[in-house]
Amino acid sequence: MKNHLFTGLRPFSALIDACWKEPYTTQRLIKDIIAGITVGIIAIPLAMALAIGSGVAPQYGLYTSAVAGIVIALCGGSRFSVSGPTAAFVVILYPVSQQFGLAGLLIATLLSGVILVIMGFARLGKLIEFIPLSVTLGFTSGIAITIATMQIKDFFGLTLPVVPEEYVGKVAALFAALPTFNPGDTLIGIGTMAVLVYWPRLGIRFPAHLPALIAGSGIMAVLWLFDMPVATIGTRFGYILADGTHGQGIPPILPQWLLPWTLPDVHGVPMGLNWHTVSALLPAAFSMAMLGAIESLLCAVVLDGMTGKKHQSNNELIGQGVGNIIAPFFGGITATAAIARSAANVRAGATSPVSSLVHSLLVLLALLVLAPALSYLPLSAMAALLLLVAWNMSEARKVIYLLRRAPRDDIVVMLLCMSLTVLFDMVIAITVGIVLASLLFMRRIAAMTRISELPQSTSGKLRALRVNGPLFFAAAERIFEEIAVLTAQDDVIILQWDAVPVLDAGGLQAFVHFSENLAAGKRLVITDIPFQPLKTLARANIHPIPGRLAFYSTLEQALAEEAK
């Protein structure tokens, strides 16, 4: 028997399509190198900021961009995607790192990679098409609100002894801590944000991230002249190398092989790999996998629209899964395709996954060469970067447009998803959002199913009605009740089904109940039955009943026979 499990699944599909099936010239290589360097400049500060936002040291964000970026570029199904840590994951990763430490975060990442691979082999790549825009906008905006809230502490240099886990308590704690703001951190944050906002208006085709960080560091240097304290990566984070060397900031070494479960948890005890650990981390891993799948496939769809190329959705899921399985063994946290960096990759002239490889190599080079300098980056400047990322992620213009123009049902779904994401978590928001959106959609479709009287009707003896719309569980009962009322005085009821595209189990049950409960002497006739309803009737073993139930190919044939 032929095995169809791997049909259509091609390892290295994006790389082969872009660099093997299409001629890969020196000119294309130069374009990819330029694009990779451009994206690498964006990725280096963002990777560190996102790692800090996730509750771990900044080098782990760089490890993620380097290792996962290379693996996913090689194994994935989208030739222009650039993968690494993304802002969307911060709200999931931070609670995990606080509860289980770095070890738990790496194990959860590994588990999420396994789930993504399973999703790819199960061919779930097309499921992104079934997530409504209102749900997507709702949870991404909710994530953006949560991320922005988490950056207020570092942006203003607030002193918070304890940061509550729940959102309302966190906001209350931030308001209570506002009097403790640090003027130096605040000035740096404002200066960095100003450059980020106004740099694109200068028309210079160079990412704003590096100039903004340089501006923030320049303000920090001036503040140091006046002995004003400023929080930096070096003052908050330290490291211990294998040879016992201590240091502040980022270790100037490449990612090292490690077993995630041998690392200490929040209590300083090796995490261990057992069923208790896996079961405790599985819910978070599932959330990571779902968000990674959604974001990577959304990114691929956006890039398809920008380039006219097509991605392989199931191969992309497998590539993302393999990247998240391998990265934790080198200290990498959860990764997925980043829409902003991938779009910048396309705009910079990328032609293949080679540009993503170059981006990752640049990150590795920064680890070796720039680690001492990176340790001096102010945390308020990193917070400003994430605030801008959160604003872009919120897609405020789309949200406002939807609030003004969309049907009320979609607005309710979006606001509900946004609120649930902020107050609870993304999985609850997406689950409730999809269920509610589905119910509201079914209500709309059910309302579209109607009956109309045909001119061939003869009052008192024969009545011909046309059913327009699907006869499914949400509409069939109502439709047959209306038919019963309209035909109470008629002897022959003819129902034309040419506009009935679907007959499901609920519709079948309503039809059988109606036909079996016809009053004595009444006759039901069905005509013009499309293929799907006809197949459903045949499978249910519905046959004509002399003097009670009949089927005809056309309305004209039914009228001719019933008039005899």
Side-chain angles (χ1 to χ4, degrees), residues 286-301:
F286 180 76
S287 300
M288 296 174 191
M290 289 298 297
L291 182 56
I294 293 170
E295 189 158 0
S296 62
L297 295 178
L298 277 176
C299 178
V301 170

Side-chain angles (χ1 to χ4, degrees), residues 449-469 471 478-500 511 514 518 522-529 552 554-556 558-559 562:
T449 303
R450 304 188 179 196
I451 54 175
S452 58
E453 188 164 356
L454 296 173
Q456 293 86 345
S457 295
T458 303
S459 180
K461 182 177 186 301
L462 182 149
R463 188 177 296 268
L465 303 172
R466 185 171 188 256
V467 182
N468 194 333
L471 284 174
R478 171 180 60 83
I479 290 297
F480 283 108
E481 286 177 359
E482 291 180 9
I483 293 172
V485 173
L486 285 173
T487 61
Q489 305 301 322
D490 300 305
D491 299 329
V492 179
I493 306 166
I494 298 179
L495 300 181
Q496 187 181 34
W497 278 15
D498 63 323
V500 177
F511 168 75
F514 178 78
L518 283 174
K522 281 184 176 287
R523 180 174 171 82
L524 176 63
V525 178
I526 310 296
T527 75
D528 302 277
I529 307 175
Y552 293 100
T554 65
L555 176 64
E556 291 74 16
L559 290 170
E562 294 300 324

